[in-house]
Amino acid sequence: MPTGTPDPKHVPVMLQRCMDALAPAISEPGAVVVDATLGLGGHSEALLTQFPEVRLVAVDRDPVALRMAGERLAPFGDRATLVHAVYDEIPEVLQELGIDRVKGLLFDLGVSSMQLDEAERGFAYAQDAPLDMRMDQTRGISAAEVLNTYSHGELARILKVYGEERFAGKIASVIVREREKEPFSNSARLVELVRNAIPAATRRTGGNPAKRTFQALRIEVNGELEVLDRAIPGALDVLAVGGRIAVMSYQSLEDRLVKQYFAAGATSTAPPGLPFVPEEHQPWLKLITRGAELATEAEIEENRRAAPVRLRVAERIRDRKQ
């Protein structure tokens, strides 16, 4: 387990862009803002520093991240409340804290810097490590268990859907064949098998050929898309009128889900041709970003992990009748 403290030189992804996006909603005294993906606490620290009257509620499923971020945020005292939870549990977390509505929500999806940098977590295909990939190592099945127990069809499905892997069936066949010889336990063997399963011409472009397989396994192990599919509507339900939600996605499957929920809230549900639109059919979200915003060259230079990010921001403009 890692025992160090966050790197003070590390700049969280699109840090100031996120602060600026949330600022109109959270600048008022007593505003509550939720950091749905606490990680090492970089975004949370900036929120508490730049908005001195904000109250922060931050959640993370990773107990190690919570401990390390807790040390970082300790100087802010009771302005910061850190909770061990997954981000689809935010409505329940807020209810337990006696909070009905919040003015800001920030989601930085995907894997945290700490999880990528700690080899023993098994997220990074560039280092040989145990095939774990659980964001919360206290529960759930590991990537090794997925590889060793899933059927060929199940493996091919997650590789194709979650990894958008063209050679999903071929890779699944290799995995099933090779696990009969020896169960999977470490990442280097999987990386090598995936590399050999993909045609040589394809391997020459697009970075490490194992990248898509590792993404698929991580999403499956942590139920990321199912969690996100519950988390976004749950977050929108607790967002106050005038409040803003900012979501950073790192791959197209996440971004597509966020886009769909934001677009639905920003679209009138009235039948065409009505002389006026009743309030219950009017949009209740306003899109602050036009489509998904990408990181600038300067933001990528500050943190290379910003390169694939798509940022979407929306503001709640009216209450909905439930």
Side-chain angles (χ1 to χ4, degrees), residues 5-292:
T5 55
D7 179 0
K9 297 176 184 176
H10 172 73
V11 179
V13 171
M14 296 173 95
L15 178 63
Q16 197 53 47
R17 184 103 64 104
C18 291
M19 298 302 107
D20 294 344
L22 294 174
I26 65 174
S27 297
E28 63 186 52
V32 178
V33 60
V34 175
D35 186 343
T37 47
L38 175 62
L40 289 175
H43 287 106
S44 281
E45 183 179 47
L47 285 164
L48 291 162
T49 302
Q50 295 188 30
F51 305 96
E53 296 188 270
V54 142
R55 178 185 174 189
L56 173 83
V57 177
V59 305
D60 205 292
R61 65 167 72 182
D62 188 336
V64 180
L66 280 167
R67 177 180 60 76
M68 294 176 71
E71 294 171 6
R72 181 179 196 158
L73 302 179
F76 297 99
D78 60 6
R79 288 181 59 210
T81 303
L82 277 53
V83 182
H84 182 213
V86 187
Y87 47 69
D88 64 338
E89 298 170 324
I90 285 170
E92 291 77 15
V93 168
L94 293 173
Q95 187 175 24
E96 286 186 17
L97 294 172
I99 299 169
D100 292 326
R101 291 284 184 270
V102 302
K103 294 306 291 283
L105 290 133
L106 176 63
F107 287 77
D108 183 10
L109 302 175
V111 189
S112 77
S113 299
M114 179 201 70
Q115 290 163 339
L116 282 169
D117 293 340
E118 295 296 331
E120 66 265 26
R121 303 299 291 270
F123 288 101
Y125 43 80
Q127 306 173 79
D128 189 24
L131 281 163
D132 193 317
M133 299 194 195
R134 289 172 297 167
M135 292 179 181
D136 180 352
Q137 291 184 303
T138 66
R139 55 179 143 174
I141 66 168
S142 68
E145 290 174 88
V146 170
L147 290 167
N148 293 325
T149 63
Y150 277 31
S151 69
H152 177 276
E154 289 172 321
L155 288 169
R157 178 188 63 81
I158 66 169
L159 291 173
K160 182 176 181 179
V161 175
Y162 297 161
E164 299 178 285
E165 173 58 71
R166 287 164 54 200
F167 304 101
K170 191 171 183 182
I171 293 170
S173 296
V174 171
I175 290 169
V176 170
R177 184 186 73 225
E178 292 299 318
R179 75 187 184 192
E180 294 301 317
K181 301 174 185 176
E182 182 186 349
F184 284 91
S185 60
N186 276 48
S187 56
R189 179 180 173 217
L190 177 63
V191 170
E192 186 63 23
L193 289 174
V194 171
R195 184 187 302 277
N196 292 336
I198 291 175
T202 306
R203 294 202 302 263
R204 295 191 191 104
T205 58
N208 194 311
K211 178 180 179 179
R212 292 178 294 276
T213 294
F214 272 63
Q215 174 181 298
L217 287 169
R218 191 200 80 218
I219 290 172
E220 174 68 13
V221 164
N222 296 289
E224 289 178 41
L225 290 177
E226 293 92 338
V227 169
L228 184 62
D229 201 14
R230 295 188 295 268
I232 298 301
L236 292 172
D237 282 344
V238 300
L239 189 62
V241 174
R244 288 190 173 190
I245 178 173
V247 184
M248 287 181 283
S249 306
Y250 290 75
Q251 38 97 356
S252 59
L253 298 170
E254 293 171 337
D255 183 58
R256 199 174 303 143
L257 264 178
V258 177
K259 176 184 178 182
Q260 288 169 353
Y261 279 115
F262 282 13
T267 303
S268 168
T269 58
L274 288 183
F276 74 96
V277 178
E279 184 181 352
E280 63 267 24
H281 290 296
Q282 291 176 7
W284 53 276
L285 282 181
K286 178 173 73 173
L287 303 181
I288 303 301
T289 50
R290 296 187 63 179

